[in-house]
Amino acid sequence: MNNALIIGQYVPGNSLVHKLDPRTKITLIFFFVFIVFLANNVLSYSILTLFALVSMVISRVPIRFIMKGLTPIWFLIVFTFILHIIVTKEGSVWLEIYSFQIYSGGVFQGIAISLRFFLLILVTSLLTLTTTPIEITDAIEDMLHPLKKVKFPVHELALMMSISLRFIPTLMQETDKISKAQASRGVDFRTGSIKDRAKAVVPLLIPLFVSAFKRAEELAMAMEARGYNGGEGRTKLRELKINARDIAVYLLFIAVIAGLLLTRGY
Amino acid sequence: MDITFNNVSYIYQENSPFAHKAIEDLTFHIPSGSFVAVIGHTGSGKSTLIQHLNGLAMPTRGEVTIGDFHLKAKEKPKNMRELRSKVGVVFQYPEHQLFEETVAKDIAFGPENFGVEKAVIEERISEIIPAVGLSKEILERSPFDLSGGQMRRVAIAGVMAVQPEVLVLDEPTAGLDPRGQKEMLEMFYELHKKQGLTTVLVTHSMEDALKYADQVIILNQGKKYMEGNPVHVFTQKDALHKVQLDVPESVAFLSKFEARFKKSLPFRGQTVDEMAEDILRVVQGGGIDE
């Protein structure tokens, strides 16, 4: 139905990025989000951009997939850029149109902030593009494991996540089906006032909820029938393992941070 | 209403790497008032074909004509609402589309959308309820309290209350017990005859197609594979086997009988009773009445 948001859209592959332990990927991205804000000059930004672009190339995910994932936020990127150009009044005046001045500082700031956005989205979508949802939930479950000591339901949370991810496509299909059935009964989802259109959603939402609850009940029953009784004592078919590859990538990432700190202007 | 497909193709997500031809170069004609069975495997394009009948899908190429309505490639559809009031579609598992608080309200939902007056709707509801085999007591109950079979009948009543001229049925008997299946089809056939509908039935059952249809269209991988009257289509065993379809039980039985007794007893569209008489006559050494 719509493929605009690629979050959760895994592109199968066999690259280094695909093969990395999901925990490694999540950790790196977690820190990347912070260090993006450390960069403050051309050199430090280039290091970050280089890192992101190299990961993208190594992952061998077709560029059009990544670009498609970026479509929803292009607007945001362009908007921040323009806002900075208009609002920031630092540095020298570069261009003067009537009484309106564009400052060098505004352009630099605009580029820098948009680049931050771009890098953040690029790297996070790279995670979901190269990691199956199951791997991600496994990794999160494993990383949150220490919280079990304070009675945090880690396993249940991970299970909930994987179940909801699993049912996204199913619900999309269901929505498509029901909206077609209701359109055949004369519901018009496309035209009319906002109030009319909001009303038109009711015959879509109610059947959707009904079937979702039914599905949930059936799933719970099927899980119980197969002996599921919570996370206690459950073992995994695929154990996560950190190996030499992951350590190498960690070291590389530390080098990136070091490089960033060195080139960062004070 | 006459339905004509003229070289219709439908491609999902054209001009993308995911492009997928759902139907390809389909041409056929359904005369007004006939009962047509569309048969094909999953993925043969049946559902896409159905969606062309009321403008849920627009042809990528070619033209679909339904009565006075024309659906053409790359043309913005007009009078879509009118078309949808003339073509009633019963989708697979139609009970999933129920949502109102009471059965009566749910049945009235379609006609209300198409601007039918309240009094007229009341009248139609009281007519349609017995026709779909329900009793009036359930009108004020919630559709979600009913049994699966009843829910399906309510959903069908909701489609019929619009009083369409064309009725499209997408495997209406899926998930029902054998008796329910038989009753359901008998009901549709009744409605078809009584209201002079043009009916398009999508089915997996060769037996049903043979029993009810005037015309059979067999789809294979989005293309029309065979078309014609049921007796003609269903006696072509080899051609059907080629696309993993079977001949109806009665046809299969007769050809086994011919092989076993080395006598000629071709299928001419006999009912089971007529067939028994034919067999008796042939076994006793007589010929068959033409």
Side-chain angles (χ1 to χ4, degrees):
Chain A
M1 232 170 93
N2 77 68
N3 301 311
L5 267 171
I6 49 167
I7 293 185
Q9 208 176 62
Y10 173 67
V11 179
N14 209 13
S15 71
L16 174 68
V17 185
H18 282 87
K19 280 198 230 150
L20 275 184
D21 189 287
R23 288 170 298 179
T24 310
K25 284 190 259 188
I26 291 177
T27 316
L28 292 196
I29 283 161
F30 183 76
F31 284 108
F32 188 85
V33 171
F34 285 105
I35 61 168
V36 159
F37 294 97
L38 287 180
N40 61 358
N41 59 22
V42 177
L43 206 56
S44 48
Y45 269 112
S46 337
I47 290 179
L48 287 178
T49 316
L50 194 71
F51 175 76
L53 290 182
V54 167
S55 330
M56 188 184 96
V57 172
I58 292 178
S59 75
R60 280 195 234 126
V61 174
I63 300 226
R64 81 191 136 70
F65 273 105
I66 295 166
M67 287 303 140
K68 222 160 107 194
L70 287 173
T71 34
I73 60 132
W74 273 129
F75 168 75
L76 206 62
I77 292 178
V78 173
F79 180 74
T80 12
F81 180 69
I82 293 173
L83 201 70
H84 270 283
I85 285 187
I86 296 171
V87 176
T88 313
K89 302 206 184 301
E90 281 167 25
S92 51
V93 178
W94 265 15
L95 203 67
E96 194 160 347
I97 308 162
Y98 301 107
S99 61
F100 181 77
Q101 294 115 354
I102 290 178
Y103 291 84
S104 62
V107 176
F108 281 132
Q109 278 285 335
I111 292 175
I113 302 294
S114 317
L115 190 63
R116 270 183 202 168
F117 257 126
F118 177 77
L119 290 179
L120 285 179
I121 302 293
L122 178 66
V123 174
T124 39
S125 51
L126 212 52
L127 170 73
T128 52
L129 283 167
T130 61
T131 323
T132 58
I134 292 180
E135 278 180 320
I136 294 182
T137 42
D138 270 359
I140 289 177
E141 181 176 359
D142 190 80
M143 291 164 83
L144 292 181
H145 207 262
L147 286 179
K148 260 213 165 135
K149 291 231 163 69
V150 290
K151 296 253 153 63
F152 186 79
V154 176
H155 171 78
E156 284 71 16
L157 189 80
L159 184 74
M160 263 161 60
M161 274 177 61
S162 41
I163 289 177
S164 16
L165 284 169
R166 154 68 183 78
F167 278 100
I168 289 174
T170 313
L171 279 179
M172 297 268 260
Q173 256 173 20
E174 194 90 12
T175 313
D176 187 48
K177 233 183 72 186
I178 296 171
S179 69
K180 275 180 177 152
Q182 305 297 25
S184 304
R185 293 213 280 167
V187 177
D188 195 343
F189 296 105
R190 296 219 173 84
T191 54
S193 66
I194 292 181
K195 202 182 144 207
D196 285 345
R197 270 191 262 184
K199 257 189 171 166
V201 177
V202 175
L204 179 62
L205 280 186
I206 293 176
L208 209 54
F209 271 106
V210 170
S211 76
F213 282 128
K214 222 183 268 168
R215 233 181 263 284
E217 222 167 294
E218 278 164 16
L219 181 70
M221 231 177 316
M223 282 170 69
E224 268 173 34
R226 288 161 70 179
Y228 178 82
N229 54 3
E232 223 46 61
R234 260 173 94 77
T235 53
K236 285 216 154 50
L237 177 62
R238 280 176 290 266
E239 297 262 4
L240 296 174
K241 264 196 211 95
I242 299 278
N243 52 29
R245 201 162 34 216
D246 296 288
I247 291 167
V249 172
Y250 273 123
L251 290 176
L252 181 80
F253 192 67
I254 290 171
V256 168
I257 299 180
L260 193 70
L261 290 174
L262 285 176
T263 53
R264 181 174 187 258
Y266 290 95
Chain B
M1 291 202 288
D2 282 33
I3 299 168
T4 309
F5 271 53
N6 220 333
N7 303 98
V8 174
S9 297
Y10 186 82
I11 303 169
Y12 280 102
Q13 308 194 10
E14 206 188 9
N15 301 326
S16 86
F18 305 103
H20 163 68
K21 260 190 189 165
I23 51 182
E24 202 179 337
D25 208 19
L26 265 189
T27 301
F28 60 83
H29 176 72
I30 298 173
S32 189
S34 56
F35 195 117
V36 179
V38 178
I39 298 175
H41 278 291
T42 335
S44 61
K46 292 172 297 177
S47 304
T48 314
L49 188 156
I50 283 181
Q51 289 176 26
H52 281 81
L53 294 174
N54 73 346
L56 286 173
M58 299 298 282
T60 315
R61 288 190 233 321
E63 185 182 358
V64 179
T65 312
I66 303 137
D68 301 327
F69 301 93
H70 298 273
L71 305 179
K72 246 186 245 170
K74 289 179 190 102
E75 216 171 80
K76 261 220 142 164
K78 285 174 285 185
N79 318 331
M80 201 48 97
R81 186 171 284 244
E82 211 186 324
L83 171 63
R84 287 187 186 158
S85 72
K86 294 259 168 78
V87 181
V89 185
V90 176
F91 283 95
Q92 234 175 69
Y93 299 102
E95 57 272 27
H96 291 171
Q97 73 197 32
L98 301 174
F99 73 99
E100 279 284 13
E101 292 155 56
T102 68
V103 169
K105 276 190 191 169
D106 207 285
I107 298 177
F109 179 70
E112 261 169 23
N113 281 327
F114 293 117
V116 180
E117 276 174 53
K118 273 236 155 68
V120 181
I121 295 179
E122 295 278 316
E123 211 173 288
R124 285 190 192 174
I125 290 179
S126 55
E127 274 169 31
I128 202 70
I129 281 290
V132 295
L134 290 170
S135 67
K136 284 212 164 65
E137 286 93 66
I138 67 154
L139 278 177
E140 291 313 312
R141 283 172 63 187
S142 160
F144 299 109
D145 290 340
L146 306 176
S147 74
Q150 284 175 317
M151 280 168 86
R152 186 166 297 186
R153 283 165 196 272
V154 170
I156 290 164
V159 174
M160 294 309 299
V162 181
Q163 296 199 338
E165 291 173 35
V166 177
L167 184 60
V168 183
L169 309 167
D170 190 355
E171 293 185 39
T173 58
L176 296 178
D177 57 56
R179 190 169 148 213
Q181 292 189 4
K182 203 172 158 230
E183 284 175 4
M184 188 67 69
L185 279 170
E186 287 292 341
M187 178 193 95
F188 281 123
Y189 196 61
E190 268 311 293
L191 290 169
H192 167 79
K193 277 191 304 186
K194 233 197 259 163
Q195 308 191 5
L197 299 169
T198 309
T199 306
V200 179
L201 169 71
V202 170
T203 181
H204 278 299
S205 157
M206 306 295 148
E207 285 73 31
D208 293 342
L210 178 64
K211 194 163 169 197
Y212 299 106
D214 313 315
Q215 186 185 347
V216 176
I217 296 170
I218 295 187
L219 293 181
N220 185 41
Q221 297 182 345
K223 286 182 208 148
K224 188 171 79 182
Y225 182 70
M226 276 164 112
E227 185 189 7
N229 75 54
V231 174
H232 171 74
V233 168
F234 288 136
T235 43
Q236 301 181 49
K237 196 172 161 192
D238 295 335
L240 287 170
H241 278 308
K242 225 185 237 169
V243 290
Q244 279 87 46
L245 291 173
D246 255 323
V247 295
E249 280 168 359
S250 50
V251 179
F253 176 77
L254 274 194
S255 67
K256 276 207 179 125
F257 172 84
E258 284 183 314
R260 171 81 172 72
F261 288 86
K262 302 203 170 48
K263 299 219 160 129
S264 155
L265 180 50
F267 182 73
R268 299 169 285 123
Q270 305 98 314
T271 63
V272 176
D273 289 341
E274 286 165 353
M275 217 179 275
E277 277 170 35
D278 283 352
I279 288 171
L280 191 63
R281 212 169 296 129
V282 169
V283 172
Q284 288 171 344
I288 29 171
D289 302 331
E290 284 301 324

